[in-house]
Amino acid sequence: MSTKSLWGGRFKEPLSEAALKFSSSIDLDKRLYQEDIDGSIAHVEMLAACKIITAEDARRIRTGLRAVAKEIETGKLSLSWEKEDIHMAIEKRLIQKIGSVGGKLHTARSRNDQVALDERLYLRSAIKEIKKLITHFQRVTLYKAEKYFGVVVPGYTHLQRAQPIYLSHHLLAYVYMIDRDYERLNDCYKRVNKLPLGAAALAGTSFPIDRALVAKKLGFDGIVENSIDAVSDRDYLIEFTSVCSTMMMHLSRLAEELVLWSTREFSFASIDDAYTTGSSIMPQKKNPDMAELVRGKTGRVYGDLMNILTTMKALPLAYNRDMQEDKTPLFDAAETTRQCVFILTHVLIHTKFDRNRFEEELKNDTLTATEVADYLVQQDLPFREAHEITGKMVSYCVEHGKSLSQLSIRELHHFSHKFSEDVLELLDPHKSIEHKKSAGSTAPNEVKKQIVHWTRVLKQRK
Ligand code: ARG
């Protein structure tokens, strides 16, 4: 089966079914139909404004395009592989519907600038949507930080207990991390939001088009100035998938902590039933699959980044059909990132942290060792000596199954005569936190400052 292509003029034979099947991209790029139609309407209005086509022709084309959009929406127009791609499918259907005047739509345009335009329009919405989801994630995390304010948890390095911290402080770290992704999206948006249309195939066009007018109609912040650059590059897409990758990396760390913290071994957190799954064989199981999938899908998004980088590597200018392959990573990265930030926000909403369990754990630990060392430094010991003495104390505690706070003053004096009663209060994890002084530390006031800051920032965000 072969149908005649809109570009079939110079060919004696139609494209073979095998070649068409192999090269068709409509299965993927049909998602761009709305963008394609919006772009075409702006283009055709400009053609009329510049008197390249008549106002009446432009009106008929616009009405026709809207009718095609309806047919796609309602599933009336089949978008199967023999249509080559979404651009061809729409144009062909337009001509079928309104007759040969539909053929004027493609004046002063090529699919090369058209597809770049569609992608940029798609990315603009994707960025806006992911930004909204980030804001929601931040609001939920902030809410949890406020709710658990005052709850002390072990902070980790090397996944070994390090120092006591506020759970709120830990949660807020994620608010900061993902906020940089938000900023990166804003920055990426600036470069996405330039109009490539009007570059035509690569060299521009001899029709007196007005690119600035199309840019204005479509809400672009100017045009991509060099016509070859406009159709050749996909760096905006690379940038976007790279931001998605960084963002997924952040989400995957939280996902991993939720997986870890909800194990029996940790038992720090529990995720509600609605966001966990059971095992088909082991009746007792409650698995954190959503968090695991976020962790897993992170790899996919990294793959998308490598995919597009590798596709673009060493391609000669300008457009090459290789670039059609960019749809897979584009849609996959945008959709996966969107889904992951959405679901992880919901997992977090439905996660409870166990205050009592944290307290219990803190009671039997040596997490305040750094405080002890700092105390000795304040008594004029060099830090290295203080470190050595405290290390010995910890080793003594481990041997005798005690926590630092269980040591009597007599035992303390066994290690150093610099200790007096006032050290005892430092051994309490809550007190140790209150003693922190540096900006950005886990001290109650510093954490409160962060909460106030984010409450204000997030209130202003749409
Ligand atoms: N489907 C193509 C793509 O996504 C559209 C551009 C085709 N251009 C061409 N000269 N064959 O890249």
Side-chain angles (χ1 to χ4, degrees):
M1 195 238 53
S2 268
T3 46
K4 193 165 162 24
S5 297
L6 288 176
W7 41 256
R10 65 101 60 222
F11 295 86
K12 291 201 178 68
E13 264 187 85
L15 187 63
S16 74
E17 184 176 319
L20 182 55
K21 248 187 189 160
F22 175 72
S23 59
S24 164
S25 59
I26 196 157
D27 259 355
L28 275 173
D29 59 30
K30 61 185 171 196
R31 302 168 66 150
L32 294 173
Y33 83 90
Q34 193 58 57
E35 286 81 0
D36 201 70
I37 285 176
D38 292 345
S40 288
I41 290 177
H43 177 68
V44 89
E45 287 176 349
M46 178 279 290
L47 290 179
C50 296
K51 310 233 175 326
I52 299 166
I53 65 171
T54 66
E56 175 53 18
D57 285 351
R59 195 195 56 74
R60 286 174 61 196
I61 294 173
R62 196 176 44 216
T63 313
L65 283 169
R66 289 196 179 129
V68 176
K70 268 263 147 55
E71 285 188 7
I72 297 176
E73 251 161 57
T74 55
K76 232 182 107 193
L77 178 63
S78 123
L79 298 173
S80 47
W81 60 269
E82 67 272 17
K83 300 284 170 49
E84 193 173 336
D85 62 23
I86 189 66
H87 325 292
M88 286 307 186
I90 291 173
E91 197 183 330
K92 232 176 175 174
R93 181 69 186 137
L94 176 74
I95 295 169
Q96 268 175 10
K97 281 178 87 78
I98 68 169
S100 63
V101 61
K104 294 191 178 182
L105 165 64
H106 211 54
T107 314
R109 188 175 77 167
S110 152
R111 266 185 299 162
N112 299 350
D113 54 346
Q114 187 180 353
V115 70
L117 169 63
D118 293 1
E119 287 185 345
R120 284 171 187 260
L121 288 171
Y122 173 88
L123 271 178
R124 285 199 325 198
S125 330
I127 290 175
K128 282 185 198 153
E129 210 192 328
I130 295 175
K131 275 174 58 187
K132 268 202 200 125
L133 292 167
I134 289 183
T135 304
H136 188 215
F137 169 82
Q138 288 177 306
R139 287 192 175 125
V140 166
T141 313
L142 175 66
Y143 166 80
K144 292 276 173 181
E146 279 184 283
K147 182 177 157 117
Y148 289 97
F149 186 79
V151 173
V152 178
V153 302
Y156 291 82
T157 64
H158 311 264
L159 203 52
Q160 303 286 329
R161 290 193 182 172
Q163 291 184 340
I165 52 170
Y166 268 163
L167 175 58
S168 314
H169 194 53
H170 189 98
L171 291 170
L172 284 162
Y174 285 106
V175 177
Y176 281 93
M177 287 182 214
I178 205 155
D179 201 62
R180 287 191 295 276
D181 299 322
Y182 186 94
E183 282 174 15
R184 275 184 275 269
L185 284 174
N186 275 341
D187 209 46
C188 172
Y189 191 91
K190 282 189 232 154
R191 282 175 284 278
V192 165
N193 199 27
K194 299 274 185 220
L195 176 90
L197 203 74
L202 78 164
T205 168
S206 44
F207 288 101
I209 60 169
D210 184 350
R211 296 185 67 199
L213 178 63
V214 183
K216 198 163 157 233
K217 280 182 185 294
L218 291 171
F220 281 100
D221 203 15
I223 64 169
V224 183
E225 295 203 345
N226 181 302
S227 64
I228 300 175
D229 176 35
V231 290
S232 302
D233 209 355
R234 293 291 184 267
D235 60 351
Y236 53 89
L237 210 159
I238 291 170
E239 199 177 340
F240 172 75
T241 27
S242 148
V243 177
C244 288
S245 298
T246 308
M247 185 174 150
M248 287 297 299
M249 175 274 293
H250 288 145
L251 295 179
S252 76
R253 297 184 75 174
L254 176 60
E256 165 64 10
E257 294 200 318
L258 290 173
V259 170
L260 210 56
W261 285 23
S262 62
T263 56
R264 168 102 177 258
E265 285 72 7
F266 270 81
S267 301
F268 285 177
S270 79
I271 306 170
D272 290 351
D273 288 359
Y275 287 86
T276 51
T277 58
S279 154
S280 53
I281 174 169
M282 298 162 285
Q284 86 285 9
K285 291 286 293 266
K286 187 176 156 191
N287 299 326
D289 293 33
M290 305 312 130
E292 291 171 88
L293 280 167
V294 170
R295 194 174 60 182
K297 284 172 192 279
T298 302
R300 253 181 63 189
V301 177
Y302 291 3
D304 292 328
L305 174 61
M306 284 307 126
N307 178 337
I308 179 67
L309 275 171
T310 312
T311 302
M312 294 306 293
K313 176 182 177 291
L315 277 188
L317 304 189
Y319 176 83
N320 299 273
R321 191 67 179 267
D322 315 44
M323 287 152 76
Q324 175 170 287
E325 292 296 310
D326 66 355
K327 309 299 173 306
T328 312
L330 166 63
F331 297 142
D332 191 66
E335 188 53 24
T336 308
T337 307
R338 197 191 64 72
Q339 285 177 1
C340 287
V341 63
F342 175 85
I343 202 75
L344 202 60
T345 303
H346 285 267
V347 171
L348 195 59
I349 293 172
H350 294 275
T351 296
K352 287 182 195 70
F353 297 98
D354 189 338
R355 298 166 195 261
N356 298 332
R357 166 91 180 130
F358 289 130
E359 279 304 314
E360 198 183 294
E361 281 303 306
L362 291 168
K363 254 193 270 152
N364 311 312
D365 215 298
T366 48
L367 278 158
T368 47
T370 317
E371 266 63 52
V372 176
D374 287 352
Y375 174 91
L376 291 173
V377 171
Q378 276 155 16
Q379 318 306 313
D380 218 24
L381 271 190
F383 183 75
R384 281 295 152 226
E385 262 174 58
H387 189 287
E388 171 77 19
I389 291 171
T390 317
K392 291 207 167 104
M393 288 166 66
V394 170
S395 158
Y396 175 88
C397 284
V398 172
E399 251 169 60
H400 294 81
K402 285 186 170 186
S403 72
L404 279 172
S405 57
Q406 285 167 337
L407 296 181
S408 67
I409 196 81
R410 262 195 53 211
E411 282 173 296
L412 290 172
H413 281 161
H414 176 73
F415 295 95
S416 167
H417 284 287
K418 302 262 180 193
F419 287 120
S420 48
E421 293 286 338
D422 55 350
V423 71
L424 295 173
E425 94 158 359
L426 282 180
L427 298 176
D428 171 6
H430 287 268
K431 289 281 180 316
S432 109
I433 283 187
E434 284 160 27
H435 272 86
K436 291 274 181 294
K437 291 190 183 60
S438 55
S441 70
T442 195
N445 270 336
E446 289 300 319
V447 177
K448 238 181 236 155
K449 256 194 237 166
Q450 297 179 25
I451 290 178
V452 169
H453 167 76
W454 284 109
T455 308
R456 192 169 38 77
V457 173
L458 296 174
K459 208 172 256 164
Q460 283 158 3
R461 270 192 200 158
K462 279 183 243 70

